[in-house]
Amino acid sequence: MEKRAALILTGGGARAAYQVGVLKAIAEFLPRRARSPFPIICGTSAGALNAAVIAVNAQNFSMGVQYMVNTWKNFHADQVYRTDFIGVFNNTMLWIAGLIFSAMGINKLNQVSLLDNSPLSELLEQMLPCEMIQQNIDAGALHALSITASGYGSGQSVTFYQGVKELVPWQRTGRVGIAMDINTRHLLASAALPFIFPATLIHREYFGDGSMRQIAPISPALHLGATRVLVIGVTANGNIPQPDRGEDGEYPSLARIAGHAMNSIFLDSLEVDLERVKKINDLVGIMPEEMRQRANLRHVDVLVVSPSQPIDKIAERYASELPWTIRLLLRLVGARQRSGAVLVSYLLTEKKFCRALIDLGYQDALKRRDEIMGFLDFGPPNIDLAQ
């Protein structure tokens, strides 16, 4: 079986800037003008945006990474969602009215959300020539790109993929893989944070953030033919001590509840899936070859790179960089408290915060250079689930 490395970029709003720092270091490890070392690229939520940039620039990995670095280092929230007073006020009033009408059984107001992400739509149209994806596939620089979104109608986790002709669609409980040319609508759908950004219509169904109901984030890479997987996470859960449950006795604010829900959506499924892969690898290691073939099981090398510092703590330092309209909106839901920093970390697409995350990702990757290079060179099997 041909060996193929897959890159998995997870969701997390502004936290995805961390991925850019890791990729920046990897680009420096490789020769200049080298092709992407990842023939298979899988993106979810904000990670889908980074994944698409790498796929579009698969024939020149460092150029694609530098484009991402330049974009994220100079990000402002108004490039992702409307921050002007009229835009925020109107959208918030429509959102509240929509909730009231829905409670009354009236569906007069639809397609409303807390924030208006039309600036992101415009930005993606400008920066991503999606026709390059197929050109890179035809040139042999890309095996497949997948973007995962959550179908509000079907309730399924849907992975849209574009790749070589040999790939076969799949269907499992609660998740499917569908061959389709990737465009900016798939990216907008995958990155549509629940409640915060509007759902996106794709072929008669509305889709939202891909991290919702994604119970097996590594699965798309395996269906697309990956034999080893590099996961760039956006949580430091494994690197920091967990607080005592009795540490904070205050009733949680709406912002804290929202941040907790975001973490559950974006982070927990990856942790569970990584544990599942490790157990399968352990099982495969003790099974006879004949039994492995009958069960269609194989060892999958996994390398995880994730933040060495808690991102929500970094977000606390830069929360004041948000436009005043968004700060006011967040204060109304309790984000002025320290406990609201988790929610802020998903929305803080401002350059100072993004630069801090890029630098963190870059430094974390530099410290693991030999490990990462061994992975890219298809060195000895390695499982690293310690984050």
Side-chain angles (χ1 to χ4, degrees), residues 72-98:
W72 281 90
K73 282 182 68 174
N74 297 289
F75 244 141
H76 291 288
D78 59 11
Q79 293 176 276
V80 180
Y81 47 85
R82 288 189 63 176
T83 62
D84 60 288
F85 176 78
I86 294 177
V88 172
F89 179 80
N90 287 347
N91 223 63
T92 303
M93 290 301 102
L94 285 172
W95 186 70
I96 294 172

PDB file of all heavy atoms in Angstrom, residues 72-98:
ATOM      1  N   TRP A  72      -3.058  35.940   8.476  1.00  0.00           N
ATOM      2  CA  TRP A  72      -3.410  35.855   9.891  1.00  0.00           C
ATOM      3  C   TRP A  72      -2.691  36.908  10.720  1.00  0.00           C
ATOM      4  O   TRP A  72      -3.241  37.412  11.705  1.00  0.00           O
ATOM      5  CB  TRP A  72      -3.102  34.459  10.429  1.00  0.00           C
ATOM      6  CG  TRP A  72      -4.123  33.427  10.070  1.00  0.00           C
ATOM      7  CD1 TRP A  72      -4.123  32.625   8.960  1.00  0.00           C
ATOM      8  CD2 TRP A  72      -5.302  33.082  10.798  1.00  0.00           C
ATOM      9  NE1 TRP A  72      -5.229  31.804   8.958  1.00  0.00           N
ATOM     10  CE2 TRP A  72      -5.962  32.067  10.080  1.00  0.00           C
ATOM     11  CE3 TRP A  72      -5.846  33.529  11.997  1.00  0.00           C
ATOM     12  CZ2 TRP A  72      -7.159  31.494  10.522  1.00  0.00           C
ATOM     13  CZ3 TRP A  72      -7.041  32.953  12.442  1.00  0.00           C
ATOM     14  CH2 TRP A  72      -7.678  31.959  11.709  1.00  0.00           C
ATOM     15  N   LYS A  73      -1.460  37.251  10.358  1.00  0.00           N
ATOM     16  CA  LYS A  73      -0.716  38.246  11.131  1.00  0.00           C
ATOM     17  C   LYS A  73      -1.332  39.630  11.034  1.00  0.00           C
ATOM     18  O   LYS A  73      -1.073  40.489  11.881  1.00  0.00           O
ATOM     19  CB  LYS A  73       0.744  38.302  10.652  1.00  0.00           C
ATOM     20  CG  LYS A  73       1.616  37.172  11.170  1.00  0.00           C
ATOM     21  CD  LYS A  73       3.047  37.325  10.696  1.00  0.00           C
ATOM     22  CE  LYS A  73       3.717  38.517  11.340  1.00  0.00           C
ATOM     23  NZ  LYS A  73       5.156  38.592  10.995  1.00  0.00           N
ATOM     24  N   ASN A  74      -2.131  39.854  10.011  1.00  0.00           N
ATOM     25  CA  ASN A  74      -2.722  41.175   9.805  1.00  0.00           C
ATOM     26  C   ASN A  74      -4.242  41.153   9.886  1.00  0.00           C
ATOM     27  O   ASN A  74      -4.914  42.049   9.377  1.00  0.00           O
ATOM     28  CB  ASN A  74      -2.265  41.737   8.454  1.00  0.00           C
ATOM     29  CG  ASN A  74      -0.763  41.955   8.395  1.00  0.00           C
ATOM     30  OD1 ASN A  74      -0.234  42.857   9.044  1.00  0.00           O
ATOM     31  ND2 ASN A  74      -0.063  41.117   7.650  1.00  0.00           N
ATOM     32  N   PHE A  75      -4.770  40.121  10.516  1.00  0.00           N
ATOM     33  CA  PHE A  75      -6.212  39.967  10.607  1.00  0.00           C
ATOM     34  C   PHE A  75      -6.835  41.039  11.490  1.00  0.00           C
ATOM     35  O   PHE A  75      -6.266  41.486  12.484  1.00  0.00           O
ATOM     36  CB  PHE A  75      -6.571  38.601  11.194  1.00  0.00           C
ATOM     37  CG  PHE A  75      -7.311  37.707  10.239  1.00  0.00           C
ATOM     38  CD1 PHE A  75      -7.047  36.350  10.200  1.00  0.00           C
ATOM     39  CD2 PHE A  75      -8.287  38.209   9.407  1.00  0.00           C
ATOM     40  CE1 PHE A  75      -7.725  35.518   9.337  1.00  0.00           C
ATOM     41  CE2 PHE A  75      -8.985  37.395   8.525  1.00  0.00           C
ATOM     42  CZ  PHE A  75      -8.697  36.030   8.504  1.00  0.00           C
ATOM     43  N   HIS A  76      -8.043  41.438  11.099  1.00  0.00           N
ATOM     44  CA  HIS A  76      -8.918  42.250  11.942  1.00  0.00           C
ATOM     45  C   HIS A  76     -10.278  41.577  11.951  1.00  0.00           C
ATOM     46  O   HIS A  76     -10.687  40.945  10.970  1.00  0.00           O
ATOM     47  CB  HIS A  76      -9.044  43.683  11.408  1.00  0.00           C
ATOM     48  CG  HIS A  76      -7.775  44.479  11.533  1.00  0.00           C
ATOM     49  ND1 HIS A  76      -7.308  44.934  12.746  1.00  0.00           N
ATOM     50  CD2 HIS A  76      -6.886  44.893  10.593  1.00  0.00           C
ATOM     51  CE1 HIS A  76      -6.179  45.594  12.551  1.00  0.00           C
ATOM     52  NE2 HIS A  76      -5.895  45.579  11.263  1.00  0.00           N
ATOM     53  N   ALA A  77     -10.970  41.699  13.056  1.00  0.00           N
ATOM     54  CA  ALA A  77     -12.270  41.051  13.189  1.00  0.00           C
ATOM     55  C   ALA A  77     -13.227  41.452  12.070  1.00  0.00           C
ATOM     56  O   ALA A  77     -14.044  40.644  11.627  1.00  0.00           O
ATOM     57  CB  ALA A  77     -12.885  41.387  14.554  1.00  0.00           C
ATOM     58  N   ASP A  78     -13.105  42.704  11.579  1.00  0.00           N
ATOM     59  CA  ASP A  78     -14.041  43.152  10.543  1.00  0.00           C
ATOM     60  C   ASP A  78     -13.804  42.476   9.201  1.00  0.00           C
ATOM     61  O   ASP A  78     -14.569  42.674   8.257  1.00  0.00           O
ATOM     62  CB  ASP A  78     -14.023  44.680  10.395  1.00  0.00           C
ATOM     63  CG  ASP A  78     -12.653  45.231  10.033  1.00  0.00           C
ATOM     64  OD1 ASP A  78     -11.749  44.450   9.682  1.00  0.00           O
ATOM     65  OD2 ASP A  78     -12.476  46.463  10.118  1.00  0.00           O
ATOM     66  N   GLN A  79     -12.731  41.668   9.079  1.00  0.00           N
ATOM     67  CA  GLN A  79     -12.535  40.859   7.878  1.00  0.00           C
ATOM     68  C   GLN A  79     -13.288  39.538   7.972  1.00  0.00           C
ATOM     69  O   GLN A  79     -13.430  38.843   6.969  1.00  0.00           O
ATOM     70  CB  GLN A  79     -11.041  40.576   7.672  1.00  0.00           C
ATOM     71  CG  GLN A  79     -10.210  41.796   7.330  1.00  0.00           C
ATOM     72  CD  GLN A  79      -8.740  41.452   7.244  1.00  0.00           C
ATOM     73  OE1 GLN A  79      -8.027  41.411   8.249  1.00  0.00           O
ATOM     74  NE2 GLN A  79      -8.268  41.193   6.037  1.00  0.00           N
ATOM     75  N   VAL A  80     -13.772  39.205   9.168  1.00  0.00           N
ATOM     76  CA  VAL A  80     -14.471  37.948   9.386  1.00  0.00           C
ATOM     77  C   VAL A  80     -15.971  38.180   9.597  1.00  0.00           C
ATOM     78  O   VAL A  80     -16.806  37.454   9.065  1.00  0.00           O
ATOM     79  CB  VAL A  80     -13.879  37.196  10.599  1.00  0.00           C
ATOM     80  CG1 VAL A  80     -14.604  35.884  10.842  1.00  0.00           C
ATOM     81  CG2 VAL A  80     -12.390  36.955  10.387  1.00  0.00           C
ATOM     82  N   TYR A  81     -16.313  39.203  10.388  1.00  0.00           N
ATOM     83  CA  TYR A  81     -17.724  39.507  10.620  1.00  0.00           C
ATOM     84  C   TYR A  81     -17.879  41.018  10.790  1.00  0.00           C
ATOM     85  O   TYR A  81     -16.915  41.729  11.085  1.00  0.00           O
ATOM     86  CB  TYR A  81     -18.255  38.771  11.867  1.00  0.00           C
ATOM     87  CG  TYR A  81     -17.361  38.876  13.080  1.00  0.00           C
ATOM     88  CD1 TYR A  81     -17.434  39.969  13.952  1.00  0.00           C
ATOM     89  CD2 TYR A  81     -16.437  37.878  13.374  1.00  0.00           C
ATOM     90  CE1 TYR A  81     -16.627  40.067  15.058  1.00  0.00           C
ATOM     91  CE2 TYR A  81     -15.614  37.958  14.493  1.00  0.00           C
ATOM     92  CZ  TYR A  81     -15.708  39.053  15.326  1.00  0.00           C
ATOM     93  OH  TYR A  81     -14.904  39.146  16.433  1.00  0.00           O
ATOM     94  N   ARG A  82     -19.095  41.498  10.579  1.00  0.00           N
ATOM     95  CA  ARG A  82     -19.347  42.932  10.678  1.00  0.00           C
ATOM     96  C   ARG A  82     -19.178  43.396  12.121  1.00  0.00           C
ATOM     97  O   ARG A  82     -19.723  42.794  13.046  1.00  0.00           O
ATOM     98  CB  ARG A  82     -20.752  43.272  10.181  1.00  0.00           C
ATOM     99  CG  ARG A  82     -20.918  43.173   8.675  1.00  0.00           C
ATOM    100  CD  ARG A  82     -22.258  43.741   8.219  1.00  0.00           C
ATOM    101  NE  ARG A  82     -22.390  45.169   8.495  1.00  0.00           N
ATOM    102  CZ  ARG A  82     -23.432  45.905   8.124  1.00  0.00           C
ATOM    103  NH1 ARG A  82     -24.425  45.331   7.445  1.00  0.00           N
ATOM    104  NH2 ARG A  82     -23.492  47.188   8.409  1.00  0.00           N
ATOM    105  N   THR A  83     -18.404  44.451  12.295  1.00  0.00           N
ATOM    106  CA  THR A  83     -18.170  44.994  13.638  1.00  0.00           C
ATOM    107  C   THR A  83     -18.701  46.410  13.789  1.00  0.00           C
ATOM    108  O   THR A  83     -18.632  46.969  14.889  1.00  0.00           O
ATOM    109  CB  THR A  83     -16.665  44.993  13.954  1.00  0.00           C
ATOM    110  OG1 THR A  83     -15.991  45.844  13.026  1.00  0.00           O
ATOM    111  CG2 THR A  83     -16.082  43.591  13.867  1.00  0.00           C
ATOM    112  N   ASP A  84     -19.217  47.004  12.698  1.00  0.00           N
ATOM    113  CA  ASP A  84     -19.762  48.354  12.796  1.00  0.00           C
ATOM    114  C   ASP A  84     -21.044  48.343  13.627  1.00  0.00           C
ATOM    115  O   ASP A  84     -21.731  47.320  13.713  1.00  0.00           O
ATOM    116  CB  ASP A  84     -20.046  48.910  11.394  1.00  0.00           C
ATOM    117  CG  ASP A  84     -21.041  48.058  10.628  1.00  0.00           C
ATOM    118  OD1 ASP A  84     -20.664  46.938  10.211  1.00  0.00           O
ATOM    119  OD2 ASP A  84     -22.197  48.488  10.461  1.00  0.00           O
ATOM    120  N   PHE A  85     -21.364  49.476  14.246  1.00  0.00           N
ATOM    121  CA  PHE A  85     -22.483  49.530  15.181  1.00  0.00           C
ATOM    122  C   PHE A  85     -23.794  49.125  14.522  1.00  0.00           C
ATOM    123  O   PHE A  85     -24.554  48.318  15.075  1.00  0.00           O
ATOM    124  CB  PHE A  85     -22.613  50.941  15.759  1.00  0.00           C
ATOM    125  CG  PHE A  85     -23.805  51.093  16.669  1.00  0.00           C
ATOM    126  CD1 PHE A  85     -23.767  50.609  17.966  1.00  0.00           C
ATOM    127  CD2 PHE A  85     -24.976  51.700  16.219  1.00  0.00           C
ATOM    128  CE1 PHE A  85     -24.862  50.729  18.809  1.00  0.00           C
ATOM    129  CE2 PHE A  85     -26.076  51.818  17.043  1.00  0.00           C
ATOM    130  CZ  PHE A  85     -26.015  51.338  18.350  1.00  0.00           C
ATOM    131  N   ILE A  86     -24.048  49.648  13.336  1.00  0.00           N
ATOM    132  CA  ILE A  86     -25.322  49.340  12.664  1.00  0.00           C
ATOM    133  C   ILE A  86     -25.416  47.854  12.347  1.00  0.00           C
ATOM    134  O   ILE A  86     -26.444  47.212  12.572  1.00  0.00           O
ATOM    135  CB  ILE A  86     -25.472  50.191  11.385  1.00  0.00           C
ATOM    136  CG1 ILE A  86     -25.596  51.670  11.751  1.00  0.00           C
ATOM    137  CG2 ILE A  86     -26.677  49.725  10.575  1.00  0.00           C
ATOM    138  CD1 ILE A  86     -25.668  52.593  10.549  1.00  0.00           C
ATOM    139  N   GLY A  87     -24.321  47.298  11.824  1.00  0.00           N
ATOM    140  CA  GLY A  87     -24.324  45.879  11.470  1.00  0.00           C
ATOM    141  C   GLY A  87     -24.541  44.994  12.685  1.00  0.00           C
ATOM    142  O   GLY A  87     -25.349  44.064  12.663  1.00  0.00           O
ATOM    143  N   VAL A  88     -23.813  45.271  13.777  1.00  0.00           N
ATOM    144  CA  VAL A  88     -23.934  44.461  14.994  1.00  0.00           C
ATOM    145  C   VAL A  88     -25.313  44.633  15.614  1.00  0.00           C
ATOM    146  O   VAL A  88     -25.961  43.645  15.995  1.00  0.00           O
ATOM    147  CB  VAL A  88     -22.836  44.839  16.011  1.00  0.00           C
ATOM    148  CG1 VAL A  88     -23.072  44.148  17.346  1.00  0.00           C
ATOM    149  CG2 VAL A  88     -21.462  44.469  15.461  1.00  0.00           C
ATOM    150  N   PHE A  89     -25.801  45.885  15.705  1.00  0.00           N
ATOM    151  CA  PHE A  89     -27.099  46.149  16.328  1.00  0.00           C
ATOM    152  C   PHE A  89     -28.228  45.485  15.541  1.00  0.00           C
ATOM    153  O   PHE A  89     -29.072  44.784  16.116  1.00  0.00           O
ATOM    154  CB  PHE A  89     -27.342  47.647  16.419  1.00  0.00           C
ATOM    155  CG  PHE A  89     -28.671  48.014  17.041  1.00  0.00           C
ATOM    156  CD1 PHE A  89     -28.824  48.000  18.420  1.00  0.00           C
ATOM    157  CD2 PHE A  89     -29.751  48.361  16.236  1.00  0.00           C
ATOM    158  CE1 PHE A  89     -30.047  48.316  18.989  1.00  0.00           C
ATOM    159  CE2 PHE A  89     -30.976  48.677  16.801  1.00  0.00           C
ATOM    160  CZ  PHE A  89     -31.128  48.659  18.182  1.00  0.00           C
ATOM    161  N   ASN A  90     -28.253  45.694  14.224  1.00  0.00           N
ATOM    162  CA  ASN A  90     -29.314  45.109  13.401  1.00  0.00           C
ATOM    163  C   ASN A  90     -29.316  43.596  13.485  1.00  0.00           C
ATOM    164  O   ASN A  90     -30.368  42.956  13.619  1.00  0.00           O
ATOM    165  CB  ASN A  90     -29.163  45.555  11.944  1.00  0.00           C
ATOM    166  CG  ASN A  90     -29.553  47.006  11.735  1.00  0.00           C
ATOM    167  OD1 ASN A  90     -30.150  47.632  12.606  1.00  0.00           O
ATOM    168  ND2 ASN A  90     -29.218  47.554  10.579  1.00  0.00           N
ATOM    169  N   ASN A  91     -28.125  42.994  13.389  1.00  0.00           N
ATOM    170  CA  ASN A  91     -28.050  41.539  13.409  1.00  0.00           C
ATOM    171  C   ASN A  91     -28.475  40.984  14.761  1.00  0.00           C
ATOM    172  O   ASN A  91     -29.166  39.964  14.842  1.00  0.00           O
ATOM    173  CB  ASN A  91     -26.622  41.092  13.084  1.00  0.00           C
ATOM    174  CG  ASN A  91     -26.600  39.921  12.128  1.00  0.00           C
ATOM    175  OD1 ASN A  91     -27.042  40.030  10.991  1.00  0.00           O
ATOM    176  ND2 ASN A  91     -26.115  38.786  12.596  1.00  0.00           N
ATOM    177  N   THR A  92     -28.076  41.671  15.837  1.00  0.00           N
ATOM    178  CA  THR A  92     -28.448  41.216  17.172  1.00  0.00           C
ATOM    179  C   THR A  92     -29.952  41.311  17.384  1.00  0.00           C
ATOM    180  O   THR A  92     -30.582  40.394  17.938  1.00  0.00           O
ATOM    181  CB  THR A  92     -27.719  42.040  18.251  1.00  0.00           C
ATOM    182  OG1 THR A  92     -26.301  41.933  18.041  1.00  0.00           O
ATOM    183  CG2 THR A  92     -28.051  41.529  19.640  1.00  0.00           C
ATOM    184  N   MET A  93     -30.558  42.409  16.919  1.00  0.00           N
ATOM    185  CA  MET A  93     -32.003  42.567  17.062  1.00  0.00           C
ATOM    186  C   MET A  93     -32.751  41.508  16.254  1.00  0.00           C
ATOM    187  O   MET A  93     -33.757  40.951  16.712  1.00  0.00           O
ATOM    188  CB  MET A  93     -32.423  43.970  16.610  1.00  0.00           C
ATOM    189  CG  MET A  93     -31.959  45.092  17.550  1.00  0.00           C
ATOM    190  SD  MET A  93     -32.581  44.908  19.257  1.00  0.00           S
ATOM    191  CE  MET A  93     -31.110  44.260  20.091  1.00  0.00           C
ATOM    192  N   LEU A  94     -32.246  41.223  15.043  1.00  0.00           N
ATOM    193  CA  LEU A  94     -32.872  40.175  14.226  1.00  0.00           C
ATOM    194  C   LEU A  94     -32.749  38.819  14.910  1.00  0.00           C
ATOM    195  O   LEU A  94     -33.676  38.005  14.871  1.00  0.00           O
ATOM    196  CB  LEU A  94     -32.218  40.138  12.840  1.00  0.00           C
ATOM    197  CG  LEU A  94     -32.603  41.260  11.873  1.00  0.00           C
ATOM    198  CD1 LEU A  94     -31.735  41.195  10.619  1.00  0.00           C
ATOM    199  CD2 LEU A  94     -34.082  41.155  11.484  1.00  0.00           C
ATOM    200  N   TRP A  95     -31.609  38.576  15.536  1.00  0.00           N
ATOM    201  CA  TRP A  95     -31.379  37.309  16.224  1.00  0.00           C
ATOM    202  C   TRP A  95     -32.352  37.150  17.389  1.00  0.00           C
ATOM    203  O   TRP A  95     -32.974  36.097  17.551  1.00  0.00           O
ATOM    204  CB  TRP A  95     -29.929  37.265  16.711  1.00  0.00           C
ATOM    205  CG  TRP A  95     -29.503  35.965  17.313  1.00  0.00           C
ATOM    206  CD1 TRP A  95     -29.302  34.774  16.669  1.00  0.00           C
ATOM    207  CD2 TRP A  95     -29.208  35.726  18.691  1.00  0.00           C
ATOM    208  NE1 TRP A  95     -28.894  33.816  17.557  1.00  0.00           N
ATOM    209  CE2 TRP A  95     -28.822  34.358  18.811  1.00  0.00           C
ATOM    210  CE3 TRP A  95     -29.215  36.524  19.837  1.00  0.00           C
ATOM    211  CZ2 TRP A  95     -28.470  33.790  20.017  1.00  0.00           C
ATOM    212  CZ3 TRP A  95     -28.855  35.953  21.057  1.00  0.00           C
ATOM    213  CH2 TRP A  95     -28.487  34.600  21.141  1.00  0.00           C
ATOM    214  N   ILE A  96     -32.492  38.215  18.175  1.00  0.00           N
ATOM    215  CA  ILE A  96     -33.414  38.168  19.317  1.00  0.00           C
ATOM    216  C   ILE A  96     -34.857  38.009  18.840  1.00  0.00           C
ATOM    217  O   ILE A  96     -35.632  37.210  19.379  1.00  0.00           O
ATOM    218  CB  ILE A  96     -33.264  39.438  20.180  1.00  0.00           C
ATOM    219  CG1 ILE A  96     -31.882  39.466  20.839  1.00  0.00           C
ATOM    220  CG2 ILE A  96     -34.363  39.507  21.241  1.00  0.00           C
ATOM    221  CD1 ILE A  96     -31.573  40.762  21.561  1.00  0.00           C
ATOM    222  N   ALA A  97     -35.212  38.770  17.789  1.00  0.00           N
ATOM    223  CA  ALA A  97     -36.568  38.664  17.241  1.00  0.00           C
ATOM    224  C   ALA A  97     -36.825  37.269  16.702  1.00  0.00           C
ATOM    225  O   ALA A  97     -37.926  36.718  16.858  1.00  0.00           O
ATOM    226  CB  ALA A  97     -36.767  39.705  16.142  1.00  0.00           C
ATOM    227  N   GLY A  98     -35.794  36.690  16.069  1.00  0.00           N
ATOM    228  CA  GLY A  98     -35.944  35.338  15.543  1.00  0.00           C
ATOM    229  C   GLY A  98     -36.218  34.334  16.641  1.00  0.00           C
ATOM    230  O   GLY A  98     -37.041  33.426  16.483  1.00  0.00           O
TER     231      GLY A  98
END
